[in-house]
Amino acid sequence: MGNRHKFFQRNTFDQAMAGYLFLLPALVALAVFLIGPIFYAFYISFFQFSFLDPGNAKFVGFSNYLHLFRDPEFLRALWNTSLYSICVVPIQTALALFLALIVNNIRGKTFFRVAYYLPTVTSTVAVSVIFIFIFEPAGILNQLLLHFGIHGPNYFNSPTFALPAIMAMAVWSSVGQFMIIYLAGLQDISEEIYEAAKLDGAKGWRLLWYITVPLLRRTTFLNIVMSMIGTFQVFDQVYVISGGTGGPLNATLSVVLDLFNKGFKTMQMGYASAMAFILFVIILLLTLIQNYFLGREE
């Protein structure tokens, strides 16, 4: 009996070791390329640090973090990014739900799924170039406005219109992704629930407001969180549109673009790391707030 017990113990141990050995390459890669750099970035955020001269790194404590709230460029970037997120997330979410409700009830769902999803898988640089052609002074949009007697501005060179133009581009390019998630959520709602509601006299908008929207609550939470994280990390669109300057007059400067410029152009890597962790804390807090209101189970 004792030998049999030891045999099973040994067999369980061998199986566990085999499992850990299979996991080892992935764990090593995760530690070297993700977790390690995160801890290192947090470490150098307390230093005046440049990769061009790492030997002369100087410990500055919380100075990098405190200086962020006196840096007019960072505050402008934070304002631009917050405004961008506040405008893009609700519009994108509402439009994705609207499109999903339409596509869910028409024939040829597969075609519309592909059609709306194509901008999501298209390179951001290619999308940005397309929108530069649309919004240029002699572009398609201004030509269309001329038919109504309206002379459109030079959108990407205007401090007033540059950021809204980028918002329009962001909504167009990623609404398909969120529509697909909403479609999956809609198909999870049982027809029996709708039939029971119809027997109670509900129809039209009442079905949408009292059945569909509440049952899509977790899907909406997922979409809002993903959209919010994406908008707070906006970089490539503003980089291509502004040529990496965040212009005109810092109107399109985002937090990540400012971080990139500080870290890789002026080589203030410690300061850029502090910026990254402030951005992380902001996203974490906003996600927790959204989880409190939308992510809880009833």
Side-chain angles (χ1 to χ4, degrees):
M1 188 68 182
N3 290 336
R4 191 177 176 185
H5 180 67
K6 285 182 182 177
F7 171 77
F8 281 118
Q9 274 191 329
R10 180 57 187 258
N11 198 28
T12 305
F13 177 77
D14 289 345
Q15 286 182 358
M17 288 306 296
Y20 285 124
L21 282 174
F22 277 113
L23 285 174
L24 189 60
L27 291 175
V28 170
L30 200 65
V32 171
F33 295 109
L34 184 64
I35 298 172
I38 288 174
F39 279 104
Y40 188 64
F42 185 65
Y43 171 73
I44 65 173
S45 70
F46 296 101
F47 287 82
Q48 190 177 341
F49 183 91
S50 168
F51 278 116
L52 294 179
D53 191 14
N56 285 327
K58 180 183 172 186
F59 181 74
V60 293
F62 286 96
S63 293
N64 285 334
Y65 289 93
L66 295 175
H67 181 64
L68 280 173
F69 298 99
R70 298 191 300 269
D71 181 353
E73 275 197 357
F74 174 74
L75 294 177
R76 179 60 191 268
L78 189 59
W79 165 252
N80 288 343
T81 307
S82 303
L83 185 64
Y84 177 85
S85 185
I86 288 169
C87 293
V88 170
V89 173
I91 295 172
Q92 201 169 51
T93 306
L95 191 57
L97 177 59
F98 176 71
L99 292 174
L101 289 169
I102 293 175
V103 172
N104 195 44
N105 292 298
I106 59 175
R107 290 184 179 179
K109 288 180 191 175
T110 306
F111 169 78
F112 287 102
R113 281 178 189 165
V114 173
Y116 284 117
Y117 197 70
L118 269 179
T120 304
V121 295
T122 304
S123 160
T124 310
V125 175
V127 172
S128 302
V129 171
I130 291 170
F131 271 76
I132 287 173
F133 282 116
I134 293 173
F135 284 111
E136 68 178 1
I140 297 170
L141 182 58
N142 281 350
Q143 292 298 323
L144 184 66
L145 290 175
L146 270 180
H147 289 290
F148 301 96
I150 301 170
H151 293 274
N154 186 349
Y155 296 93
F156 289 130
N157 280 330
S158 161
T160 306
F161 291 100
L163 192 60
I166 295 174
M167 290 174 189
M169 181 173 65
V171 170
W172 178 82
S173 62
S174 53
V175 71
Q177 174 189 354
F178 300 111
M179 184 204 74
I180 295 292
I181 297 172
Y182 266 129
L183 268 177
L186 284 171
Q187 288 164 13
D188 271 349
I189 300 175
S190 170
E191 282 298 321
E192 293 173 357
I193 298 174
Y194 286 112
E195 288 170 9
K198 285 175 185 174
L199 288 174
D200 288 337
K203 58 183 178 181
W205 285 103
R206 286 180 177 274
L207 283 177
L208 175 65
W209 189 249
Y210 292 107
I211 303 295
T212 307
V213 172
L215 290 178
L216 286 175
R217 184 175 173 174
R218 299 306 298 268
T219 309
T220 302
F221 170 67
L222 174 67
N223 276 346
I224 288 177
V225 169
M226 288 174 60
S227 179
M228 186 268 297
I229 292 172
T231 52
F232 266 90
Q233 294 179 340
V234 60
F235 170 74
D236 36 10
Q237 295 100 327
V238 291
Y239 185 88
V240 174
I241 296 295
S242 70
T245 62
L249 299 175
N250 287 338
T252 60
L253 184 67
S254 70
V255 173
V256 179
L257 179 60
D258 192 26
L259 187 157
F260 175 83
N261 289 337
K262 295 286 190 327
F264 296 100
K265 288 187 177 176
T266 60
M267 291 296 162
Q268 303 173 66
M269 192 55 74
Y271 188 60
S273 298
M275 206 179 286
F277 279 95
I278 289 292
L279 181 63
F280 165 74
V281 170
I282 291 171
I283 292 174
L284 178 64
L285 289 176
L286 290 175
T287 304
L288 291 175
I289 291 169
Q290 288 168 15
N291 183 53
Y292 179 79
F293 287 106
L294 290 172
R296 292 180 304 169
E297 294 287 352
E298 292 291 345

